[in-house]
Amino acid sequence: MSPVPSQVLDVATPGDELLRRVVGDFARNRIRPLAGELDATERFPAELYREMAELGLFGVTVPAELGGAGGTALDYLSVMEGLSYGYASVADQCGLVELVGTLLAEDGTPPQRERYLAPLLRTERRCAYALTEPGAGSDLGGVRTRARRRASGGWTLTGEKIFIHNAPVADFAAVLAVTDPERGKRGGVSVFLVDLDAPGVSRPYREHKMGQRASPVGGLVFDEVVLGDDALLGEEGQGFRAMMRVLAKGRLGIAGLALGISRAALDAAAEHAASRRQFGRPIGVNQAVAFPIADMVTEYRAALLLALDAARLLDSTACSMAKLFATEACVRHTATAVQIFGGSGYIQGYEVERLYRDARITTIYEGTSEMQRLIVSRAVLGRLDGGAG
Ligand SMILES: Cc1cc2nc3c(=O)[nH]c(=O)nc-3n(C[C@H](O)[C@H](O)[C@H](O)COP(=O)(O)OP(=O)(O)OC[C@H]3O[C@@H](n4cnc5c(N)ncnc54)[C@H](O)[C@@H]3O)c2cc1C
């Protein structure tokens, strides 16, 4: 039971109440008890994902007639927050399926949806979302992975992707590749659906990460991989626009994920402030301990309101603001929780030690905080460089 009274945390959330309860129970009863073990072993919790598929927690906003839950962006936000309260890696998997599922639902042909979307939502096939390359991180204009048309039909794909979530375990990937170098990212980049058991695909390594350690991340190498015409997802040349479109929802999801980590840190800090005694009384009696908790809960609520607004609008600037604020707050909150725990906050096996590590990536992936500030500042100032940067 959370030591933080629910009226302090809850704002009127218009998402589906039953869904919130299902996610809350699942996070408390199934995810949280496993989080420490998953962090220590870096194990991929396939059994949790099967249960989540049965509960309809994959493809939250994918229309029901395509096998999704048919929910709203608000539902998605609340699912991400709730799962992440259990363990951020589990929410991360939900977010990945949501992104690839949305791409397939919006741009996939009926055969592509049948082949990839339906089995993805049932967790029979696992996906990856492959944008980043050694020379292309914040600036996806640097993508060099190249898809060339073959005279006999179809495409060949050559290039390298790095830091790809699920790369070590995925069955297929949505891959961003250059189809027309002359036209650059506006019109010259496309998305391809690539089966990762195809000849020419390799996954040479798996990374070991600071946090969210049950989310497997690694590289993908494509060496003259032969693809059919039906591997192209959406229109040729529209890949950058498609990826950017789903990234707004992705950023909303990461705001939710960060909120879930913050709430777990807040719970742990509040419980410890009330139960740990020094100088003959609970440490929370000291304002030096109590006030940071007041700041945490205030910022949690502000971040949640910003995210709810972004879920309602689902526009790029609002989603960037929500991600920026929630993730930066999450990094601060987990550091505060470690401080309130004193020495034990630094010891493996204490939840706040893991939360501190899990939080750190949230200001980096799906666009760094600096990239969110760039998007928000351009909404205010426009492109002062005339579009050069
Ligand atoms: C655990 C993990 C999972 C990931 N999952 C995926 C995935 O599934 N798929 C995928 O495609 N990618 C994934 N990524 C990649 C991630 O999205 C990138 O790491 C991120 O976008 C930053 O790119 P970069 O690492 O190349 O940093 P860089 O772009 O090199 O940036 C380095 C620093 O410079 C700053 N910077 C760069 N340009 C500017 C500028 N113009 N103004 C101000 N500051 C700037 C950045 O904000 C950052 O602080 C993942 C990464 C990690 C670590």
Side-chain angles (χ1 to χ4, degrees):
M1 192 60 178
S2 166
V4 181
S6 64
Q7 73 271 20
V8 182
L9 287 177
D10 275 1
V11 291
T13 311
D16 185 301
E17 178 58 36
L18 177 64
L19 184 68
R20 288 173 67 196
R21 214 163 337 118
V22 166
V23 173
D25 290 347
F26 188 72
R28 202 165 30 255
N29 302 328
R30 292 292 293 122
I31 306 176
R32 276 176 81 88
L34 290 179
E37 180 250 314
L38 295 175
D39 173 61
T41 59
E42 301 188 334
R43 182 171 71 79
F44 184 83
E47 76 284 11
L48 286 184
Y49 299 144
R50 275 193 296 275
E51 290 175 50
M52 281 165 59
E54 280 162 23
L55 290 170
L57 300 180
F58 285 124
V60 177
T61 64
V62 171
E65 60 273 22
L66 298 181
T72 63
L74 282 166
D75 294 327
Y76 175 51
L77 174 67
S78 98
V79 168
M80 289 294 281
E81 198 274 356
L83 293 175
S84 183
Y85 177 77
Y87 179 32
S89 272
V90 174
D92 211 20
Q93 189 69 211
C94 176
L96 176 61
V97 172
E98 190 73 27
L99 286 197
V100 176
T102 301
L103 272 180
L104 286 162
E106 290 181 356
D107 292 340
T109 59
Q112 285 173 333
R113 289 181 189 153
E114 195 177 322
R115 182 161 177 197
Y116 296 105
L117 180 58
L120 173 67
L121 300 179
R122 293 194 299 260
T123 70
E124 290 159 12
R125 300 191 82 189
R126 296 170 188 160
C127 68
Y129 181 70
L131 282 63
T132 306
E133 300 185 2
S138 298
D139 178 14
L140 290 174
V143 164
R144 293 288 169 268
T145 293
R146 182 80 162 89
R148 289 189 171 79
R149 275 195 186 282
R150 289 158 58 84
S152 53
W155 304 82
T156 44
L157 183 75
T158 296
E160 180 183 0
K161 299 288 179 181
I162 61 168
F163 302 156
I164 305 304
H165 182 194
N166 264 10
V169 297
D171 298 295
F172 72 95
V175 178
L176 193 68
V178 176
T179 40
D180 182 352
E182 302 286 299
R183 303 187 68 182
K185 64 184 179 188
R186 317 256 170 227
V189 174
S190 308
V191 181
F192 291 88
L193 295 167
V194 182
D195 291 320
L196 298 182
D197 58 359
V201 178
S202 57
R203 332 172 195 219
Y205 56 89
R206 174 187 171 143
E207 306 286 5
H208 298 284
K209 303 189 271 67
M210 177 193 287
Q212 299 192 17
R213 285 160 49 85
S215 308
V217 165
L220 290 173
V221 175
F222 307 104
D223 182 11
E224 300 282 314
V225 178
V226 176
L227 303 173
D229 284 319
D230 57 355
L232 181 67
L233 179 65
E235 265 180 71
E236 183 180 341
Q238 296 305 309
F240 187 72
R241 189 177 294 175
M243 291 291 196
M244 290 304 113
R245 204 175 60 229
V246 296
L247 270 185
K249 197 188 283 176
R251 286 168 183 160
L252 178 70
I254 299 303
L257 181 150
L259 278 159
I261 298 175
S262 279
R263 183 157 61 91
L266 179 60
D267 265 8
E271 197 282 324
H272 194 72
S275 63
R276 171 73 174 163
R277 296 178 74 84
Q278 287 293 280
F279 301 98
R281 52 195 196 152
I283 57 170
V285 165
N286 303 291
Q287 290 183 347
V289 175
F291 282 11
I293 290 176
D295 288 343
M296 281 167 84
V297 77
T298 303
E299 287 180 6
Y300 172 90
R301 200 169 167 132
L304 180 56
L305 286 167
L306 208 49
L308 289 171
D309 184 50
R312 191 174 55 78
L313 296 170
L314 212 57
D315 100 314
S316 172
T317 309
C319 290
S320 286
M321 286 178 178
K323 182 192 186 260
L324 174 64
F325 190 80
T327 60
E328 296 270 328
C330 175
V331 170
R332 284 196 300 278
H333 295 165
T334 53
T336 300
V338 168
Q339 192 67 21
I340 289 174
F341 267 73
S344 45
Y346 194 67
I347 300 296
Q348 276 180 13
Y350 280 83
E351 186 186 12
V352 294
E353 182 269 344
R354 173 177 58 75
L355 294 172
Y356 181 71
R357 290 183 285 104
D358 289 342
R360 195 61 193 84
I361 186 62
T362 63
T363 63
I364 297 172
Y365 63 11
E366 306 250 356
T368 63
S369 287
E370 291 72 26
M371 291 305 106
Q372 309 313 320
R373 290 189 178 97
L374 201 65
I375 291 166
V376 175
S377 64
R378 280 180 179 161
V380 179
L381 299 171
R383 303 276 309 229
L384 296 175
D385 61 0

